Amino acid sequence: MAIERALVLSGGSIKGAFQAGAIAHVLTKFEPQAIIGTSVGSLNGGFLADRAGSQVQGGSVDWKKIGDDLEEFWKTRITGFECIGKKRGNLEVLFSLGKHFNGLYDMEPLRGLIHAELQAEHLRDSPVKFAACAVNIASGDAVYADNGCSGILDYIFASTAIPLIMPIVMIGAECFWDGGIREVAPLKKAIDWGASEIVVVAVDTKKIGGMAICAPRAPFIEQAGRLMDIVVNEILNNDIDMCRKINQYIDEIPNRAGKLAEMKKIKLTEIRPETTLNIDIEKFTPGDIAELIEAGKKAAEAAMVASP
């Protein structure tokens, strides 16, 4: 099946609740043929592909219901940090620094949640093409695991592993980290798959705002989080600019030859928050999740109306 419509989902940790709200609105108007996610976007995307694979056995896919189910998943299954991780004790972290450092958090609860909610056979049977992006630490390459990949649930888990804060994820003999190191919003993969209409849901603003910390004295977790925010913002903006420049080149070069002749204009709908989403991964509440979901819905509604 030729792919025309793709849903691209960025990373963003707990801010994925904003993404879930946006997706719930998008799926009332947009039926994706491909879903590509990185980090928490791979979790949300995997959920969508899984539910579509479950529904298709009944003959058709109700995308609105799947969007509603994703929203409910965030409201009922991710109600606090204890649902996805455990903070390691200070002594445990200290002793691990000279031996085998394994992150500040134990993320086995998240692994369990993924395996409880998603089924490899549903992903394999899904009518949408799905891929989760993780980074192979040894090679430094972005690796895309698709529906039929052996160990797809492990790749989804690996895609969420924020470097140093969370443990390295082993798949076979290879080590993986968060896909957001290389691909914050994997638009290029959607373009490579042939998509001409792309909805991208990102959880970071175009320009990151100020942060009320004194960097030299800030806790490690805040400094690490800020570092990731800065790096992610730059990569994300570049990825989206790349997509828009393709349209610009096509308009400016009407008589194209070679590979340029194969390029086609892309209808891009960009959904992002207008203001920075501040949420503490260790201290978020069900109320925080609900607020992010509603913010995502409003941002998606505005973006879908404004999209040509």
Side-chain angles (χ1 to χ4, degrees):
M1 178 183 69
I3 291 172
E4 296 180 356
R5 302 181 304 278
L7 179 62
V8 173
L9 305 174
S10 83
S13 188
I14 299 304
K15 291 181 285 189
F18 170 93
Q19 191 174 79
I23 290 169
H25 180 80
V26 166
L27 293 183
T28 65
K29 303 174 181 296
F30 181 82
E31 296 186 358
Q33 296 168 304
I35 302 171
I36 310 165
T38 193
S39 195
V40 74
S42 71
L43 173 61
N44 283 335
F47 184 97
L48 301 178
D50 172 276
R51 294 309 190 265
S54 175
Q55 281 192 14
V56 78
Q57 296 175 359
S60 62
V61 176
D62 183 344
W63 283 107
K64 182 182 183 304
K65 183 179 186 310
I66 291 175
D68 292 341
D69 288 346
L70 177 62
E71 180 181 334
E72 190 66 14
F73 166 76
W74 275 89
K75 287 181 176 179
T76 61
R77 300 287 275 152
I78 307 182
T79 56
F81 180 64
E82 67 280 359
C83 298
I84 58 172
K86 301 175 184 177
K87 188 175 180 179
R88 301 189 193 279
N90 292 336
L91 287 177
E92 182 182 0
V93 172
L94 181 62
F95 285 127
S96 71
L97 290 176
K99 296 180 180 180
H100 174 59
F101 182 67
N102 202 27
L104 299 180
Y105 299 138
D106 175 354
M107 300 306 294
E108 284 306 304
L110 176 59
R111 187 198 295 271
L113 182 63
I114 290 171
H115 281 264
E117 287 290 336
L118 309 183
Q119 297 184 34
E121 53 268 34
H122 288 168
L123 288 163
R124 184 191 61 234
D125 296 339
S126 183
V128 297
K129 190 171 184 178
F130 167 72
C133 178
V135 169
N136 184 306
I137 299 174
S139 67
D141 294 333
V143 175
Y144 287 92
D146 63 20
N147 307 52
C149 175
S150 175
I152 180 62
L153 300 186
D154 291 327
Y155 280 101
I156 292 173
F157 180 53
S159 182
T160 68
I162 301 172
L164 301 181
I165 295 175
M166 298 176 183
I168 290 170
V169 175
M170 297 293 299
I171 302 179
E174 297 182 305
C175 303
F176 290 89
W177 261 337
D178 190 332
I181 303 171
R182 295 295 302 268
E183 301 282 356
V184 177
L187 286 156
K188 185 177 182 300
K189 176 59 73 172
I191 295 169
D192 289 344
W193 280 357
S196 57
E197 185 176 357
I198 300 174
V199 174
V200 56
V201 185
V203 301
D204 294 285
T205 56
K206 294 181 182 179
K207 181 175 176 58
I208 57 175
M211 191 172 185
I213 66 169
C214 178
R217 298 182 181 179
F220 172 81
I221 191 69
E222 289 189 18
Q223 293 191 41
R226 184 59 170 178
L227 172 62
M228 286 299 293
D229 285 345
I230 293 170
V231 173
V232 162
N233 181 261
E234 179 70 13
I235 297 173
L236 177 59
N237 287 341
N238 287 342
D239 287 347
I240 292 174
D241 286 346
M242 174 272 299
C243 193
R244 296 195 184 283
K245 284 177 181 177
I246 289 175
N247 290 345
Q248 179 183 337
Y249 293 152
I250 290 174
D251 287 337
E252 293 178 353
I253 311 173
N255 299 314
R256 303 183 305 280
K259 288 189 176 181
L260 287 176
E262 300 174 5
M263 295 172 65
K264 55 185 178 182
K265 293 193 72 169
I266 299 165
K267 179 182 178 182
L268 178 67
T269 300
E270 176 186 354
I271 301 171
R272 301 173 73 171
E274 291 187 2
T275 58
T276 301
L277 303 176
N278 293 313
I279 184 167
D280 189 327
I281 189 173
E282 294 181 20
K283 300 176 182 177
F284 70 90
T285 66
D288 294 328
I289 295 297
E291 287 182 10
L292 286 176
I293 288 172
E294 289 306 310
K297 286 183 176 180
K298 290 179 181 177
E301 183 177 8
M304 297 294 279
V305 169
S307 182

